[in-house]
């Protein structure tokens, strides 16, 4: 996908953060936008920003954990826009918790959104993306889909799963000669509200963790969106976003499993 002019782009989790910035960036490049999120009010605000940039945009309420709703959404978008070129499965949540204090509900919550949400979006839209003749699927993982980290076991599991699923999809599309590019996106720490809405183990304080996250996050959501769109244009298999993502990507490749000792040592020096 060399440009986004007149392309129909679907973005989940478009009411905030990276999803909102991607929507506006795509609007500025001439795309038409089907934007969804679990709260229609915030997605409607994003759609308004896109319309101000001169794009056609429509807001939909969608919980990505609801499989049937995602399939219904795909049909609705097709009826409203006539085709689907690009799908960004972006909706996601985060959590900081030791394995011992992570509840079954926490695990089902995070896998439901971060992993199943991506699978639902991919499978429901794939036939339409193939039929467009110029299609693209970008699934949002994380730098924590490349390396594991203490307190991130559930998040790591969900984001490694996204990477495995997405990499296999790309290979299938290539093998079968389908007109569909596939990227897995691995952001580092991006300045969004994700940490304020996160879950934390019972022994941890969400606000304190969010303060720490906001202190460390260096890359803006707008900058992340620009980087992701550049990666899609270049059809990068792996789109790394931010210097921290590049560093985390390098660690297991250079140090092998020894990267875990480095991460553990650095975390001992600062609060999780
Ligand atoms: N920010 C980072 O540092 C970072 C790093 C690595 C990866 N990522 C990934 O990047 C993606 C976007 O994150 P972000 O930082 O932009 O977070 P964000 O600002 O919180 O935006 C995430 C969006 O997803 C929506 N969402 C959550 N659960 C949903 C559900 N069940 N159905 C539909 N929408 C849902 C949220 O809705 P509400 O606003 O209603 O909650 C929100 O609009 C996520 O997949 C995240 O894991 C982020």
């Amino acid at each position: 996908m060399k440009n986004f002019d007149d392309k129909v782009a679907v973005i989940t989790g478009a009411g905030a953060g990276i999803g909102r910035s991607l929507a506006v960036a795509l609007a500025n490049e001439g795309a038409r936008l089907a934007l969804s999120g679990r709260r229609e009010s915030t997605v409607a605000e994003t759609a308004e920003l896109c319309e101000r940039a001169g794009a056609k945009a429509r807001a939909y309420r969608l919980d990505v954990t609801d499989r049937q709703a995602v399939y219904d959404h795909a049909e609705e978008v097709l009826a409203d826009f006539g085709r689907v070129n690009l799908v960004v499965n972006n909706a996601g949540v985060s959590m900081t918790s030791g394995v011992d204090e992570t509840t079954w509900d926490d695990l089902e919550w995070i896998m439901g959104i971060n992993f199943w949400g991506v699978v639902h979006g991919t499978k429901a839209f794939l036939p339409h993306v193939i039929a467009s003749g110029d299609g693209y699927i970008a699934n949002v993982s994380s730098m924590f889909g490349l390396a594991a980290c203490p307190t991130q076991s559930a998040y790591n599991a969900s984001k490694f799963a996204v990477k495995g699923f997405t990499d296999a999809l790309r290979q299938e599309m290539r093998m079968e000669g389908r007109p569909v590019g596939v990227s897995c996106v691995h952001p580092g720490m991006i300045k969004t509200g994700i940490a304020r809405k996160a879950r934390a183990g019972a022994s941890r304080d969400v606000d304190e963790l969010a303060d720490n996250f906001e202190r460390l996050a260096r890359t803006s959501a707008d900058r992340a969106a620009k980087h992701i769109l550049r990666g899609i244009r270049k059809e990068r298999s792996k789109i790394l976003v931010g210097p921290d993502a590049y560093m985390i990507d390098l660690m297991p490749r250079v140090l092998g499993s020894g990267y875990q000792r480095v991460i553990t040592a650095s975390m001992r020096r600062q609060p999780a």
Side-chain angles (χ1 to χ4, degrees), residues 12-20 36-40 42-43 61-66 89-94 109 112-114 117-118 140-144 155 158-159 185-195 197 213 217 219 221 228 241 244:
T12 66
I18 297 171
R20 172 170 287 181
S36 65
R38 64 179 165 185
R39 282 185 292 149
E40 201 169 346
T42 56
V43 188
R61 206 197 76 75
L62 178 71
D63 179 344
V64 296
T65 66
D66 183 338
N89 287 302
N90 163 75
V93 288
S94 69
W109 172 75
I113 299 168
N114 290 5
V118 167
V140 180
S141 172
S142 165
M143 66 178 177
F144 287 148
Y155 188 74
S158 69
K159 295 299 191 180
V185 182
H186 298 274
M189 296 172 93
I190 313 297
K191 274 185 249 179
T192 69
I194 193 167
K197 296 177 270 183
F213 171 87
T219 308
I228 293 166
V241 186
D244 42 358

Side-chain angles (χ1 to χ4, degrees), residues 87 151 167 223:
V87 176
T151 76
D167 287 355
R223 202 175 162 78

